[in-house]
Amino acid sequence: MAHAQTSAAFTAVAARKTFGNSLTTEQVHPSPSFVSSTTSSSTASATSKGKRDWPLPVRTYVQRCFAEENILPDVKLQEMEVKLKQVISKAVETGTLAVVDWDNLPLPQMMIREEHARAPSARLPSSPIPSSGVPTSTLHGANELKSKKRKSSDTGPVDDASSRTPPWSQANSRNAFESRISYPDKRPRNEAGRENGSSKSFQILDGRKKRFEPTAHGTSPVRPWRTSTAQEPPPQEREGPIVGRCQELEKKYFRLTSAPNPDTVRPLPILEKTLDHLKRRWKQERNYSYICDQFKSLRQDLTVQRIKNGFTVNAYEIHARIALEKGDLSEYNQCQTQLRALYAQKLGGHPAEFMAYRILYFLHTSNRIDMNDVLADLTPTEKQDRAVKHALETRSALALGNYHRFFELYLDTPNMGAYLMDMFVARERLAALSAICRAYKPDIKLRFVTEELGFESDDESARFICDNGAQHLLEERDDGVRLVTGKASTFFEPALKAASARPGTKLLA
């Protein structure tokens, strides 16, 4: 019986064990040329980025800009940063970075406040004017980007696929179907709306863009803010510091806007006579506005001539002490900053005395971060100095809440530290009063408050209590005036919080 030979109904195929296209050898292992080019490009990009070594006065100027006591509530931080960048960039471009008197240069927030006061009506809510160093193409790109953002908010929602697509799906959104779809161009519709004047913002943006477009001759338009410096030749860098030739003892302070003139700068022998003259005038007249102006002029002459010696330290120390006596913390901080750099060069002076002032100043501003840095840098020799030891004991008394010890130290402050402690003693008296009202019931003698809080008389302590709105807590009895602590409870807490919120820097009479 013959059996017919039958063929199979399907063809056997080997099963796939992977998905997608198989990777080639070149994809798995890159060629050596690609690796070398990538390495060389990354090395070039890494070496192109360098760190500029800014002078110490510039870094000190930046630190003073962001110091807590120099922040102005009516000047925004971003606006101040833009102004600071413009000031430093202008000094770098003009080559006057080492010539400008950074110690006496007004802070950017003060410049902004003066500009606002001079021209309040000229201020616009628009974006800041770009600097002259930005290329024209970059400005065009920025304006086009702003116009696109304005379109999305002014003309309503735009039917754009990218606005509806999540960002994680846009990266892998290219598939076989998307390449066959052609999207309509939305630009003609928006350009037509701009030509018809439907949006006022488009007209404003077009006016801004035209200012940066090249003229018919192919040249860039002259910027109004560059008219004064466009025709000025670049300043010639001096080989060394200037030597003054002025022989006058007194000279008003003027902020430098250009290279200093030797005919208006006093040399070192004249500056030494000027310092003696100013000390005599201060003892006789006590006119702080005049003395401060003359000391700032003296410091400016020292800076432009790069004089750093024992006389420089002495001049800064005297100005700092006078500023402390009058409560001018702004000038004191400028002198203290320069003294730190001068003390590091071992030029003499009284570093321990001003180290104690720094500790007390940080107690006034409640600056714990800088306080920790100062404590870490103290040497065993400095800790044995009487003024530094007193400042450290004051800090310890405040940290422990020992107001009895604090006011003992307040009445026995060496040098001129009492002027600094006067700036925050009212805050500590409120804290001590709150503790006394919680600890002593139902009342105490007013004399006890006078002795514990370091007042000179009962009248002064009673006046302090009345000034804080607690006159109803004072009762006069047969044995004298008493403070009713049972009714006080937490009465002084709001005043204490207000005094501790932001330490003041007002001038003391």
Side-chain angles (χ1 to χ4, degrees), residues 119-402:
S121 60
R123 297 165 56 191
L124 295 177
S126 58
S127 58
I129 299 177
S131 60
S132 59
V134 180
T136 307
S137 59
T138 307
L139 295 174
H140 282 302
N143 290 331
E144 291 178 0
L145 179 60
K146 292 180 181 178
S147 63
K148 291 182 181 179
K149 293 182 179 179
R150 295 284 178 86
K151 292 174 188 177
S152 63
S153 60
D154 293 340
T155 61
V158 181
D159 188 11
D160 192 0
S162 62
S163 62
R164 298 191 304 269
T165 306
W168 53 81
S169 61
Q170 291 180 4
N172 300 324
S173 61
R174 301 198 55 162
N175 49 39
F177 296 100
E178 184 180 4
S179 61
R180 304 175 190 177
I181 299 175
S182 60
Y183 295 96
D185 191 5
K186 305 298 185 302
R187 295 188 63 183
R189 182 184 64 183
N190 295 335
E191 296 294 339
R194 181 185 300 182
E195 293 176 358
N196 296 333
S198 58
S199 177
K200 185 177 180 180
S201 61
F202 289 133
Q203 300 176 3
I204 297 176
L205 292 175
D206 286 339
R208 290 182 184 174
K209 291 174 63 176
K210 289 179 181 180
R211 290 185 300 182
F212 299 99
E213 291 178 355
T215 60
H217 301 284
T219 59
S220 300
V222 179
R223 276 51 170 183
W225 57 85
R226 296 194 62 187
T227 55
S228 60
T229 59
Q231 300 178 357
E232 295 180 359
Q236 298 180 357
E237 296 185 359
R238 301 180 181 271
E239 297 181 357
I242 67 171
V243 178
R245 296 189 291 264
C246 181
Q247 300 297 316
E248 298 179 0
L249 292 181
E250 298 183 5
K251 188 184 73 171
K252 290 186 178 182
Y253 169 75
F254 294 101
R255 184 169 63 92
L256 291 178
T257 57
S258 61
N261 184 4
D263 294 333
T264 60
V265 178
R266 294 164 292 185
L268 181 58
I270 302 300
L271 292 176
E272 293 175 350
K273 297 179 181 178
T274 299
L275 181 60
D276 296 335
H277 173 70
L278 294 179
K279 288 191 294 185
R280 290 193 301 268
R281 291 287 298 270
W282 172 246
K283 292 179 180 179
Q284 296 173 0
E285 302 177 4
R286 314 293 289 185
N287 187 352
Y288 178 70
S289 59
Y290 163 78
I291 288 295
C292 182
D293 181 79
Q294 292 297 318
F295 265 99
K296 290 173 67 174
S297 176
L298 186 148
R299 287 161 43 192
Q300 185 182 66
D301 290 349
L302 290 173
T303 301
V304 298
Q305 297 179 96
R306 304 179 189 177
I307 299 176
K308 295 182 179 181
N309 52 23
F311 173 77
T312 307
V313 176
N314 188 27
Y316 274 95
E317 286 182 346
I318 294 175
H319 193 189
R321 294 189 184 102
I322 295 176
L324 268 185
E325 184 177 350
K326 303 304 294 184
D328 191 353
L329 290 183
S330 177
E331 292 298 329
Y332 164 77
N333 285 329
Q334 294 182 23
C335 296
Q336 177 73 281
T337 303
Q338 289 299 320
L339 285 173
R340 288 183 58 193
L342 294 173
Y343 290 150
Q345 301 179 18
K346 307 297 183 181
L347 299 176
H350 304 82
E353 175 187 352
F354 282 85
M355 177 62 70
Y357 295 157
R358 285 192 67 202
I359 297 175
L360 295 177
Y361 174 77
F362 291 146
L363 291 178
H364 164 58
T365 58
S366 301
N367 192 338
R368 299 181 179 179
I369 297 178
D370 291 339
M371 175 67 76
N372 292 334
D373 294 339
V374 171
L375 297 179
D377 295 338
L378 283 177
T379 62
T381 304
E382 291 175 337
K383 293 180 181 179
Q384 298 302 321
D385 183 82
R386 178 173 178 267
V388 176
K389 184 183 295 185
H390 174 273
L392 293 177
E393 291 180 358
T394 303
R395 187 205 69 85
S396 178
L398 290 180
L400 297 175
N402 188 351

Side-chain angles (χ1 to χ4, degrees), residues 55-67:
L56 180 60
V58 179
R59 288 181 288 172
T60 304
Y61 180 76
V62 175
Q63 292 176 0
R64 288 195 292 110
C65 293
F66 292 93

Side-chain angles (χ1 to χ4, degrees), residues 427-482:
R427 178 186 67 197
E428 302 307 325
R429 280 172 173 163
L430 287 173
L433 269 179
S434 299
I436 289 174
C437 292
R438 291 193 302 265
Y440 297 91
K441 302 289 182 177
D443 53 31
I444 55 175
K445 290 184 178 182
L446 183 62
R447 187 61 190 173
F448 176 79
V449 177
T450 303
E451 295 175 352
E452 285 295 317
L453 303 188
F455 289 108
E456 295 182 358
S457 63
D458 292 347
D459 293 338
E460 185 180 357
S461 60
R463 190 181 307 111
F464 178 80
I465 294 174
C466 294
D467 290 342
N468 289 277
Q471 58 271 13
H472 63 282
L473 300 178
L474 295 176
E475 294 183 358
E476 188 172 357
R477 299 179 183 177
D478 297 337
D479 56 347
V481 181
R482 304 186 70 90

